Amino acid sequence: MLNRRILRIKAFKVLYSSVMAGNTSLAEAESSLDESCEATRDLYIFMLGIVSPLTQIARERIEAGRRKFNPTEEERNPNMKFADNRLAVLLDSDPDFTRIFKKKKFTWEPYDLFLRKIYASVSSSTYFADYMASGQSSLAEDCRLFYKIFEKEFVDSVELETILEDMSVYWNDDLAYSLTFVCRTLDALAKGERWTLPPLYMSDLVPGPDKDNDRLFVRKLLRSAFTGYQEYSSMVSESVSNWDKERIVSTDMAIIVMGLAEAVAFPSIPVKVTINEYVEISKFYGTPKSRIFVNGLLDRLIQKLSGEGRIVKSGKGLM
């Protein structure tokens, strides 16, 4: 599930938090990293679990209409397509999904108002109207509808972000990535595949003797950056004229330290890949000038360490 870009971001966040805290041990940092990785999959499970409560709201609306003193013709004979959608039935009856959802103690019940706002938005949309009027009914069509719901209703929802922040400190910035895997799941279910819990690391999807283990990668990356922080941060300070460590943006410092640690600790990862990855991270977690600063410092310091023989790459084109 987690790719190398996400793993680098998680290691960076843990390193940054550890440095800011000032008294975090390596064991505590590694434990936090493990929790952060698992949290992304937890968020995937939590978001996939919204299918049933949204469906239940539709059923409640239909029943409320039927109970009116003088219901309209539409209320007496409602379109049950969404209320009876096969995806909700499938997930509600899946023993593995329901067991894991309950084991995590997840529930959407406290967020009923948010769910009703989402349902109101969905039910007033063009894509929902097209779905209800299509004249077709299948699991694949239900999955395509929910694909659009996840794609259009949640990514930029400030209210949802607030809910997630209150639930877990590790869910910041993970929503879009988790929703990507929710949509992949919908594609698989639409083809008739059974729901299975995604492996936590991408390397687990295609295991093999020549496949690098992503869990070992991210733990080694964090360990190398954590233990080498003082040395690498001093190198950064000494390389910037007229600057001292306190004046360098702390996020930039952590990003550059991560890049240096990766370049030293992983002989098989090309230098260009390492620099590009941390420049990309700096665009989201640094200042407007971070990209240029991180790119320049990483390139200069990696060349310095290479000249000292501390960075040795094991294949052609890796420098």
Side-chain angles (χ1 to χ4, degrees):
M1 182 170 185
L2 302 177
N3 62 28
R4 290 284 175 99
R5 170 71 60 80
I6 296 298
L7 292 175
R8 287 181 173 97
I9 291 173
K10 288 184 176 295
F12 151 70
K13 285 184 172 182
V14 171
L15 178 68
Y16 175 77
S17 297
S18 300
V19 171
M20 292 296 99
N23 58 353
T24 304
S25 68
L26 176 57
E28 291 170 327
E30 289 179 331
S31 176
S32 180
L33 177 65
D34 289 342
E35 289 181 40
S36 177
C37 291
E38 186 65 44
T40 304
R41 187 166 61 178
D42 286 349
L43 180 55
Y44 153 84
I45 295 169
F46 182 64
M47 292 306 303
L48 187 58
I50 205 173
V51 171
S52 184
L54 276 180
T55 302
Q56 184 58 35
I57 287 175
R59 294 169 183 162
E60 292 172 359
R61 293 281 179 89
I62 289 172
E63 288 304 313
R66 285 172 169 168
R67 290 195 300 267
K68 285 184 177 179
F69 177 73
N70 188 25
T72 64
E73 177 61 27
E74 184 179 355
E75 289 170 335
R76 283 196 298 267
N77 299 285
N79 185 339
M80 298 294 293
K81 184 174 181 179
F82 180 74
D84 291 338
N85 77 81
R86 291 169 173 81
L87 179 59
V89 174
L90 179 68
L91 292 175
D92 286 345
S93 62
D94 188 294
D96 293 333
F97 180 76
T98 54
R99 174 180 55 81
I100 293 173
F101 198 84
K102 291 178 181 178
K103 182 179 179 181
K104 297 289 183 180
K105 298 181 179 180
F106 289 151
T107 177
W108 281 95
E109 289 182 6
Y111 313 110
D112 182 69
L113 181 59
F114 170 73
L115 291 172
R116 293 183 183 280
K117 288 180 180 178
I118 292 297
Y119 179 74
S121 176
V122 169
S123 59
S124 64
S125 69
T126 301
Y127 68 82
F128 186 79
D130 292 342
Y131 162 82
M132 296 293 280
S134 72
Q136 302 175 16
S137 180
S138 67
L139 173 61
E141 190 178 18
D142 296 337
C143 288
R144 285 193 292 270
L145 171 69
F146 273 98
Y147 193 114
K148 291 181 180 179
I149 292 174
F150 283 108
E151 184 179 47
K152 297 179 179 295
E153 304 294 338
F154 299 127
V155 174
D156 296 319
S157 171
V158 175
E159 190 171 353
L160 177 58
E161 288 180 1
T162 301
I163 290 171
L164 299 181
E165 286 176 3
D166 289 342
M167 291 184 66
S168 173
V169 296
Y170 295 114
W171 282 356
N172 291 337
D173 307 323
D174 274 6
L175 178 61
Y177 192 77
S178 294
L179 290 180
T180 297
F181 274 84
V182 169
C183 290
R184 290 186 186 182
T185 293
L186 297 179
D187 285 338
L189 295 177
K191 296 174 183 177
E193 298 178 21
R194 187 174 180 275
W195 182 83
T196 56
L197 183 67
L200 187 54
Y201 301 98
M202 289 295 287
S203 60
D204 295 335
L205 289 171
V206 189
D210 299 324
K211 190 72 175 180
D212 291 338
N213 185 294
D214 286 338
R215 182 175 185 273
L216 296 179
F217 162 77
V218 72
R219 287 179 71 89
K220 181 178 180 180
L221 176 60
L222 176 63
R223 190 178 300 117
S224 300
F226 190 95
T227 57
Y229 187 86
Q230 292 302 322
E231 178 189 1
Y232 294 141
S233 62
S234 294
M235 288 177 60
V236 173
S237 299
E238 293 167 2
S239 298
V240 183
S241 58
N242 300 323
W243 287 74
D244 57 38
K245 185 183 294 187
E246 284 67 32
R247 293 180 61 194
I248 298 173
V249 177
S250 54
T251 52
D252 290 355
M253 180 67 84
I255 290 170
I256 294 171
V257 168
M258 292 292 303
L260 294 176
E262 179 173 315
V264 171
F266 296 92
S268 62
I269 298 179
V271 165
K272 288 184 179 180
V273 170
T274 295
I275 293 176
N276 288 340
E277 285 292 330
Y278 291 101
V279 168
E280 287 299 312
I281 292 173
S282 73
K283 293 178 182 178
F284 293 95
Y285 295 98
T287 68
K289 296 181 179 180
S290 292
R291 176 180 62 84
I292 298 173
F293 183 70
V294 169
N295 185 69
L297 260 293
L298 266 182
D299 183 60
R300 188 192 315 172
L301 292 175
I302 286 176
Q303 288 187 39
K304 180 178 184 295
L305 290 172
S306 298
E308 296 172 355
R310 295 185 58 188
I311 296 178
V312 180
K313 297 300 179 179
S314 58
K316 291 183 179 180
L318 296 182
M319 288 302 297

